[in-house]
Amino acid sequence: MMPSAAPPLPGLFRLSGWVAGYALRRWLPLLAVILSLLVRVGMDVLKPWPMLVLVDYVLRGAPMPAWLARLVGLLPGTATPEALTGWCVVSTVVLFLMSWAVGLANAYANISLGQRMTYDLAAQLFSRLQQLSLRFHTRRAAGDSIRRVTADCTCVSVIAKDALLPILSAGVSLLVMFGIMWRLSPALTLWALAVVPCMAAIFRLYAQPMLDRSSAQQEADAGIYSLVERTLAAMPVVQAYGREGWNNRRLREIHRDTLAATLALTDVQLRFKLLMGVTTAAGTAGILWWGAYQALAGHASVGTILVFLSYVASLYAPVESIMYTSAIIQSAAGSAARVRDVLDARRDVTDAPGAVTLGAARGQVRLEQVAFGYEAGLPVLRGISLEAEPGETIALVGPSGAGKSTLVSLLPRFFDPWEGRVCLDGRDLRTVALKSLRRHIGLVLQEPFLFPQTIAANIAYGRPKATLAEIEAAARAAGAHDFITRLPQGYHTPVGERGATLSGGERQRLSIARALLKSAPVLILDEPTSALDAQTERLLLDALEQLTAGRTTFIIAHRLSTVRRASRIVFLENGRVVETGTPRDLLARGGRYAAFHHAQFGAA
Amino acid sequence: MHRYRRLLGYVLPYRRAFGLILGLTVVSSGVLALQPWPMKFIVDHVLGGSPLPAWLEALFRRGLGQDAPGRVLAVLAIAAFVLLVLNLGLEAVLAWIWTKAGRRLVYDVAQEIFARLQARSVLFHARSTVGDLLGRITTDSWCVYYLVDTLFVGPLHALLAMGAMVVLMSQLDGLLTALALGAAPFMLGAGFLVGKPLRAMARLRREIESRLAAHVQQTLAGIPVVQAFAQEEREDERFREFASAAIRAQQRSLLLGSLNSLSSGLVTTLGTGVILWFGARHVTHGQLTVGSLLVFLSYLGTLQAQMKTFANLYTVLQGFRPSVDRVLEIIDAPPEIRDRPGAVALPRVRGHVALEGVTFGYAPGRPALRGVTLEARPGQTVALVGPTGAGKTTLVNLIPRFFDPWEGRVRVDGRDVRDVQVAALRSQVALVLQEPFLLAATVAENIALGRPDASLADIEAAARAAQAHDFIAGLPQGYATPIGERGATLSGGERQRLAIARALLKDAPILILDEPTSALDPPTERVLMAALARLMAGRTTFLIAHRLSTARRADCVVVLEQGRIVETGAPSELEARGGAYARLQTLQSPS
């Protein structure tokens, strides 16, 4: 490791360009932030001057330099010391008021800018996450992606607010104040600035340990989240298995570790702060001593010392703030990396250049020598070829893990195959505009995925403009109308998270109604009835039959009662098609499917 | 106000730390008050030539030998340095103590909320969102830290520092001191004016932000549906709507807060002006030295900053009120299911389960079970069949007391389950649900859920019996493989097999199987049924199954419809009877 070669804030300079992009998109609040910042620096510069005039020329009676006398002469009624005192008091009050107003304006502009930048980034990230293929999503925990959108996106405003703006402010202050200080007393100026390299040296020494301990602390903190989250999500199991006490003990342990990590961080932070404080104290005391020494010799005045002390305070403040917030900035840099990781993720499923929009589709589906897997070297589907004529119902049967769900996921292009191609009406899916392709495919999954909206909005999910009559018709066809009308607010009843207030069967019926309302020529049913009892399934099968009529349907089902109605059965095993044919043929053949059938219903 | 007192009860265990904070604050207030004095002596005595106070004069004469301005100056500059550093040191020690005590305080509260939440009924959890409860533990629990900070640590420091300064100021100039103090009451008033709207604003902001988070969570969790129904753009749009609402709420609450700071800012500024005016006049009339005026102004700055602590007290307290409410809501609510006074431990039961006239529902006026009476003798298997929504899952959830019936009672070995300790009852019930609920832990930890101390050999044996050993052995790290949040890397069948292994390992006399095989394909199911049969042997089992082929092996079948038992009896008997069960069977048999 070469700590001396590391820049003071690793990656900050690289990041600032990226952050600036988001700031520039909101140029109006950005302008407000910069303007208010400049005015504030101006205030800081002017602040000590009324005191200088008051102390040196009114109270101690020193003669004014010519330029100041001329300036003061412009004001009415400055002849007497009394009146001059009045002017000093008034200008102090005015300066105070103005800096208060500027401070407020600055805070307002900061929030406007910071929040807008954060939400701009979050919206962009959210949008990108929705576009990324299921391959991306199945590999990551949903909670991780959520945190990136809801928490990590604040990084742009943190970097802007806690790093870039203080640096800008310090830079501007330094330039302006340096000019004035130099004219007042070059020796004092050098002394005041001598502190800055010391601060930088201390910072260099402590930056790395502070960052290390801060990330250790954050890691420990994250442990709290994950324990609590996964416990709350599995309450029935937690209670049935009596895990409460164990969980409580575990949380106590994690809390203890987090406390230890926090104290380790606080320890190094406090030592750093102390050293920095000693340095600025040396600077302040030094100015006091050297300034008074000069004053004794007649080279400086009390007022000059006051101005210097005030300027030194204004100069140290932003420098210190950057250093104290370096851990925050570092974690923001970490957040930025996580955000950019998603933004830069290759969109594996995109519209090819010149992709055509699919108008009406007949629904002829063909898979040609398709191979696909989730991880390199572990194919889930191997050389699958399959053709479905428009209106045909194909049942995919096979043991779990055979690749049935994966196969149907290729039709709406949730994934693209490694090899081979998938065609709709003879067109390779990769040459079709994604949105228009998905318009032609209806979907009912094992997990219904309801959204926290009303029942009606959930049914109309694919067609937000559907009328209530159409929604009701779909619900009736899915056998959902009766239970919906029994709900307190009927179709306007909101669905809780994970559809908790509805039974599994009811939730699934809503998702079937959703697919019905979409009315697409190709339909995917991935174990739609495995959560339903026999009677409901029977009712639903009738509804599904209406739905599948005239549509190309791929159905995955365990229950052969569902499969029986298919025009063709494709039996999958280990990612390969093992048998295909009509249910009757396959039974008669006595192969794998027949064995499967007997496994369920016995020899009878 | 009592709600804050309620939380401050958590502070008591840390009174020693707070005693230490008190002592150190006294010292640091003194140091803070002394800070501007070296400057005063330099201006007045070194540069101004007025004599030093007698005691200081004597001190310098003894220490430096003679009164040389250069040496006096150096000593004063060193004193200034020492005072600054001393103040820093004290602040650092205070920060250390407060970090430690404050964090412990927060963790105590978080621990309590977590424990309470785990004791709440499954019904409560079904109606709450994980994100909301998570926020209460990880975010809202910090309100106790901020409360102590605003009510104790901050005001204590402010009061002591102000006291020390006022004493020193009154030595210098009585009139100026009176003026400085006169401004104080005005500053305090401001905070009370905007407290209420500010609080409403804070709540609104929180609500909007959590709606935004919920939107992201739901959309990403349901991403297959979002993409299949091509709703990405609409979800983006909704996100942007939530985001702009959040920005508006933030801006409005800042403006509202600025009204507050405007009033205190005005008082501060005018106060400074008045003191400057009178101070300067006193200097020109020789009643006050320039150095003393500087001390005054320096104190005034500090005083005003400290006064702000008080002025903001009310506003800050109100700002934390939503968090406090959210914390107390959990801490103060009694768990729906808890041990009755005098609840007895339950030694290992034989497994006799009886429901007597049980009525229960999730919402008032909408019973899900109506007068259900049934009995399972030890070792018997009772199959529950019936249409969706008939109340099968609700019925079995009453046995481990996930909720209590409205009417009637549930008995285990003749004892009302409300008379025994909840933990003891649940330790005797194992269950396998439709949803396996795997935790984000390793495979082994998931299997050993009910027996965290189980040996790897036990875990493996359970996995083998549940037909899970082979696929586990095929995983990259075997039993130590971590499972993703939604168990995404395992198939539905594999996940369910882990849940079955988990139940096997628990080895409880009562077993609840809520559609354990609905996610499995027939061959796997067939093999598993053999494993389940081993598990069920000698245990009282309640089995909910869609497939009647499974129910056929039960000792007794109970047919439920709309919360009522419509038929009950041995499978063969019911088959012969030609009632509801027989109709169900016709539905399922192959044509």
Side-chain angles (χ1 to χ4, degrees):
Chain A
M1 215 175 78
M2 291 172 58
S4 58
L9 284 171
L12 180 60
F13 302 104
R14 208 162 16 88
L15 272 179
S16 52
W18 180 67
V19 172
Y22 287 90
L24 287 175
R25 265 166 61 174
R26 297 294 183 177
W27 61 274
L28 206 62
L30 177 66
L31 205 65
V33 166
I34 291 177
L35 274 181
S36 61
L37 193 113
L38 291 179
V39 177
R40 214 176 59 187
V41 171
M43 293 288 159
D44 283 345
V45 169
L46 288 178
K47 210 167 68 188
W49 284 88
M51 271 311 282
L52 178 133
V53 171
L54 184 68
V55 170
D56 281 359
Y57 310 121
V58 179
L59 301 182
R60 294 172 59 88
M64 277 190 216
W67 64 272
L68 193 60
R70 216 176 309 125
L71 210 65
V72 168
L74 292 176
L75 300 168
T78 46
T80 63
E82 193 92 321
L84 203 52
T85 307
W87 274 109
C88 290
V89 170
V90 167
S91 47
T92 305
V93 169
V94 168
L95 278 176
F96 255 95
L97 272 184
M98 281 170 69
S99 55
W100 170 81
V102 169
L104 177 63
N106 191 242
Y108 190 81
N110 267 343
I111 284 200
S112 303
L113 178 67
Q115 291 284 312
R116 291 221 165 86
M117 285 167 69
T118 300
Y119 286 128
D120 280 351
L121 177 61
Q124 189 192 357
L125 184 67
F126 182 60
S127 166
R128 171 53 56 91
L129 276 170
Q130 290 193 75
Q131 289 163 355
L132 284 167
S133 77
L134 283 195
R135 189 165 152 166
F136 176 90
H137 289 288
T138 46
R139 276 196 197 155
R140 277 169 212 256
D144 177 64
S145 298
I146 294 163
R147 263 192 293 281
R148 286 177 206 232
V149 176
T150 56
D152 287 333
C153 280
T154 48
C155 66
V156 270
S157 79
V158 169
I159 292 172
K161 203 172 70 220
D162 289 341
L164 301 183
L165 289 176
I167 288 174
L168 184 67
S169 160
V172 175
S173 305
L174 193 68
L175 276 179
V176 178
M177 291 179 183
F178 181 80
I180 297 174
M181 282 158 82
W182 189 261
R183 289 196 57 167
L184 285 176
S185 165
L188 272 183
T189 309
L190 289 180
W191 178 262
L193 294 184
V195 170
V196 175
C198 294
M199 287 168 104
I202 295 169
F203 180 70
R204 249 211 155 100
L205 200 63
Y206 275 88
Q208 203 52 47
M210 279 202 294
L211 295 180
D212 291 348
R213 292 188 188 191
S214 139
S215 57
Q217 195 265 344
Q218 280 171 358
E219 222 164 88
D221 228 16
I224 300 179
Y225 269 84
S226 77
L227 173 73
V228 170
E229 193 171 17
R230 68 192 193 207
T231 304
L232 292 177
M235 270 334 277
V237 167
V238 167
Q239 292 192 353
Y241 285 85
R243 275 284 273 223
E244 298 95 331
W246 188 89
N247 284 334
N248 284 335
R249 277 195 301 281
R250 184 81 194 100
L251 183 64
R252 194 160 294 133
E253 280 165 26
I254 296 177
H255 274 153
R256 209 179 42 224
D257 294 348
T258 313
L259 182 65
T262 307
L263 288 179
L265 173 66
T266 310
D267 173 60
V268 69
Q269 274 176 339
L270 287 178
R271 270 188 288 151
F272 170 71
K273 196 170 170 174
L274 250 170
L275 270 180
M276 291 294 267
V278 167
T279 315
T280 51
T284 309
I287 286 170
L288 203 57
W289 176 69
W290 182 254
Y293 198 75
Q294 295 278 306
L296 270 181
H299 299 313
S301 70
V302 174
T304 316
I305 301 176
L306 291 179
V307 170
F308 264 85
L309 290 179
S310 163
Y311 281 6
V312 164
S314 313
L315 276 182
Y316 292 168
V319 176
E320 275 184 286
S321 84
I322 297 174
M323 294 176 177
Y324 292 150
T325 51
S326 65
I328 300 172
I329 295 167
Q330 185 60 28
S331 89
S335 291
R338 279 195 293 280
V339 168
R340 297 178 74 178
D341 177 39
V342 175
L343 288 181
D344 296 343
R346 207 169 52 82
R347 286 175 58 187
D348 39 1
V349 175
T350 49
D351 282 346
V356 291
T357 303
L358 207 58
R362 290 181 304 122
Q364 193 241 24
V365 175
R366 198 170 65 236
L367 279 77
E368 297 172 3
Q369 288 298 320
V370 166
F372 174 76
Y374 298 93
E375 275 162 61
L378 284 170
V380 175
L381 298 177
R382 309 154 195 247
I384 300 246
S385 291
L386 184 62
E387 195 168 334
E389 290 309 318
E392 199 183 6
T393 295
I394 294 200
L396 298 168
V397 183
S400 59
K404 300 173 304 237
S405 294
T406 306
L407 191 153
V408 293
S409 294
L410 295 173
L411 302 185
R413 268 190 89 197
F414 285 158
F415 319 105
D416 281 334
W418 288 352
E419 284 166 31
R421 55 186 202 147
V422 183
C423 300
L424 175 63
D425 286 1
R427 238 193 261 275
D428 188 327
L429 296 186
R430 280 170 293 202
T431 64
V432 174
L434 200 57
K435 221 177 145 179
S436 71
L437 165 69
R438 289 180 180 166
R439 226 181 0 245
H440 292 92
I441 296 172
L443 180 79
V444 178
L445 301 175
Q446 195 172 357
E447 159 69 46
F449 287 120
L450 298 183
F451 295 88
Q453 303 169 18
T454 62
I455 299 266
N458 266 293
I459 296 177
Y461 192 72
R463 264 179 62 195
K465 293 200 180 80
T467 65
L468 194 57
E470 288 172 313
I471 292 173
E472 250 193 65
R476 268 179 213 282
H481 179 73
D482 288 347
F483 85 80
I484 295 173
T485 48
R486 279 201 299 273
L487 292 172
Q489 299 165 61
Y491 281 86
H492 301 293
T493 310
V495 177
E497 189 183 64
R498 292 185 289 154
T501 50
L502 299 176
S503 75
E506 290 168 341
R507 294 164 64 200
Q508 193 58 294
R509 279 187 266 178
L510 289 186
S511 94
I512 292 173
R514 181 164 66 191
L516 274 162
L517 190 59
K518 190 180 177 183
S519 107
V522 179
L523 189 63
I524 296 170
L525 306 172
D526 189 350
E527 307 199 16
T529 57
S530 70
L532 305 180
D533 54 86
Q535 206 170 354
T536 319
E537 184 187 17
R538 176 75 157 210
L539 290 173
L540 262 173
L541 284 177
D542 294 340
L544 283 175
E545 200 150 328
Q546 273 174 35
L547 171 64
T548 54
R551 300 198 166 99
T552 315
T553 306
F554 288 82
I555 182 164
I556 302 176
H558 289 145
R559 260 172 278 178
L560 300 182
S561 51
T562 318
V563 166
R564 219 166 44 208
R565 307 176 181 212
S567 46
R568 203 141 47 98
I569 285 177
V570 172
F571 193 85
L572 282 176
E573 223 167 21
N574 280 324
R576 291 184 208 281
V577 177
V578 181
E579 281 181 347
T580 136
T582 64
R584 200 176 295 272
D585 287 351
L586 288 186
L587 264 186
R589 197 184 292 172
R592 296 292 301 140
Y593 172 76
F596 218 69
H597 187 270
H598 298 315
Q600 176 157 21
F601 292 102
Chain B
M1 222 36 216
H2 93 279
R3 57 163 72 76
Y4 299 118
R5 251 202 319 265
R6 168 93 178 71
L7 274 185
L8 291 179
Y10 285 89
V11 177
L12 279 182
Y14 301 102
R15 47 185 180 272
R16 273 186 55 200
F18 287 106
L20 206 56
I21 289 177
L22 177 71
L24 287 170
T25 307
V26 171
V27 180
S28 110
S29 305
V31 172
L32 195 65
L34 287 179
Q35 263 182 11
W37 286 77
M39 171 84 178
K40 172 193 151 61
F41 288 131
I42 290 174
V43 170
D44 286 350
H45 310 299
V46 179
L47 301 180
S50 58
L52 282 166
W55 61 273
L56 204 58
E57 180 84 54
L59 203 70
F60 276 133
R61 190 149 298 161
R62 196 169 327 145
L64 303 172
Q66 69 199 83
D67 186 345
R71 288 200 193 166
V72 173
L73 176 60
V75 169
L76 286 171
I78 289 169
F81 176 73
V82 168
L83 284 173
L84 283 171
V85 170
L86 207 57
N87 187 44
L88 275 168
L90 284 167
E91 268 176 16
V93 174
L94 278 168
W96 174 266
I97 298 172
W98 176 220
T99 303
K100 198 163 163 180
R103 282 247 170 191
R104 284 204 172 136
L105 202 56
V106 170
Y107 292 153
D108 284 352
V109 173
Q111 193 83 47
E112 172 97 24
I113 304 174
F114 187 58
R116 297 259 175 189
L117 281 178
Q118 290 193 82
R120 295 304 290 270
S121 75
V122 167
L123 195 57
F124 168 85
H125 284 282
R127 287 181 180 158
S128 316
T129 63
V130 171
D132 174 64
L133 300 181
L134 181 70
R136 292 180 200 233
I137 294 175
T138 54
T139 314
D140 292 323
S141 59
W142 278 87
C143 70
V144 66
Y145 179 94
Y146 296 113
L147 277 181
V148 174
D149 206 34
T150 30
L151 282 178
F152 177 74
V153 182
L156 179 71
H157 192 258
L159 265 183
L160 289 171
M162 282 165 68
M165 288 180 194
V166 168
V167 169
L168 289 173
M169 277 160 88
S170 59
Q171 302 288 312
L172 293 174
D173 192 315
L175 176 67
L176 286 190
T177 311
L179 283 174
L181 287 178
F186 294 101
M187 297 191 55
L188 288 178
F192 293 91
L193 294 177
V194 285
K196 204 169 180 179
L198 215 60
R199 193 176 1 145
M201 211 61 228
R203 190 172 308 139
L204 179 71
R205 239 181 73 185
R206 225 198 127 82
E207 234 164 69
I208 292 174
E209 278 162 7
S210 71
R211 250 184 291 161
L212 180 76
H215 174 63
V216 173
Q217 188 189 339
Q218 292 293 329
T219 308
L220 293 182
I223 198 75
V225 172
V226 175
Q227 290 191 352
F229 286 79
Q231 292 302 309
E232 296 95 330
E233 280 162 33
R234 202 155 64 98
E235 301 295 0
D236 279 348
E237 208 171 289
R238 279 156 57 88
F239 180 92
R240 275 193 293 270
E241 277 164 27
F242 284 127
S244 15
I247 293 176
R248 275 197 302 276
Q250 287 231 338
Q251 287 175 331
R252 240 176 285 159
S253 68
L254 180 79
L255 281 183
L256 216 53
S258 73
L259 275 183
N260 183 19
S261 78
L262 171 67
S263 45
S264 71
L266 265 179
V267 176
T268 311
T269 312
L270 292 177
T272 310
V274 169
I275 284 172
L276 200 57
W277 170 253
F278 282 101
R281 284 174 65 100
H282 285 190
V283 173
T284 40
H285 293 148
Q287 289 161 300
L288 195 69
T289 62
V290 173
S292 298
L293 180 62
L294 292 179
V295 170
F296 249 96
L297 290 175
S298 149
Y299 280 179
L300 203 63
T302 318
L303 271 185
Q304 279 160 349
Q306 307 284 21
M307 206 82 88
K308 244 174 228 164
T309 320
F310 289 106
N312 292 338
L313 198 72
Y314 187 72
T315 321
V316 174
L317 280 186
Q318 293 301 348
F320 286 112
R321 208 167 125 176
S323 282
V324 172
D325 288 345
R326 285 160 55 81
V327 166
L328 289 183
E329 195 185 335
I330 301 298
I331 288 183
D332 285 345
E336 300 87 343
I337 306 297
R338 63 187 150 170
D339 289 345
R340 199 174 257 191
V344 294
L346 193 66
R348 189 169 173 99
V349 296
R350 289 178 305 123
H352 184 274
V353 178
L355 277 74
E356 299 171 0
V358 168
T359 298
F360 172 79
Y362 298 96
R366 290 185 71 206
L369 292 177
R370 306 155 197 249
V372 169
T373 299
L374 73 89
E375 189 186 349
R377 286 190 302 279
Q380 246 190 354
T381 296
V382 175
L384 299 167
V385 298
T388 312
K392 303 177 301 253
T393 299
T394 308
L395 191 154
V396 296
N397 277 344
L398 290 167
I399 298 168
R401 254 191 107 192
F402 281 162
F403 15 84
D404 282 335
W406 290 352
E407 282 167 35
R409 52 189 174 171
V410 179
R411 288 171 184 273
V412 170
D413 276 16
R415 250 194 265 257
D416 190 322
V417 292
R418 283 169 295 195
D419 293 335
V420 298
Q421 290 165 5
V422 178
L425 171 71
R426 289 182 182 162
S427 71
Q428 316 223 18
V429 182
L431 82 183
V432 179
L433 303 176
Q434 197 172 352
E435 159 68 48
F437 286 119
L438 298 185
L439 304 183
T442 65
V443 168
E445 283 171 312
N446 266 291
I447 295 177
L449 192 66
R451 270 178 55 195
D453 54 344
S455 70
L456 193 58
D458 291 341
I459 293 173
E460 248 191 66
R464 270 180 211 281
Q467 312 292 327
H469 178 75
D470 288 348
F471 86 79
I472 295 172
L475 292 173
Q477 300 166 58
Y479 281 85
T481 309
I483 294 172
E485 189 176 67
R486 285 179 292 162
T489 48
L490 298 180
S491 75
E494 289 167 342
R495 294 166 66 203
Q496 194 59 295
R497 278 181 262 184
L498 289 186
I500 293 172
R502 184 155 74 186
L504 274 161
L505 190 61
K506 188 177 177 182
D507 184 28
I510 300 172
L511 186 64
I512 293 173
L513 305 173
D514 189 351
E515 309 194 11
T517 56
S518 68
L520 307 181
D521 52 81
T524 318
E525 184 186 14
R526 196 176 177 88
V527 176
L528 255 174
M529 284 314 292
L532 282 173
R534 272 204 300 281
L535 170 63
M536 286 150 67
R539 295 175 221 272
T540 312
T541 305
F542 288 84
L543 169 69
I544 302 177
H546 290 141
R547 267 164 266 185
L548 296 184
S549 53
T550 319
R552 213 176 282 159
R553 307 175 189 193
D555 299 305
C556 169
V557 172
V558 174
V559 184
L560 280 173
E561 251 165 45
Q562 301 201 357
R564 288 183 209 281
I565 295 181
V566 292
E567 262 187 353
T568 164
S572 51
E573 196 183 309
L574 292 185
E575 245 167 78
R577 198 185 290 173
Y581 179 77
R583 277 199 302 279
L584 279 174
Q585 206 168 30
T586 344
L587 282 177
Q588 281 199 12
S589 54
S591 54

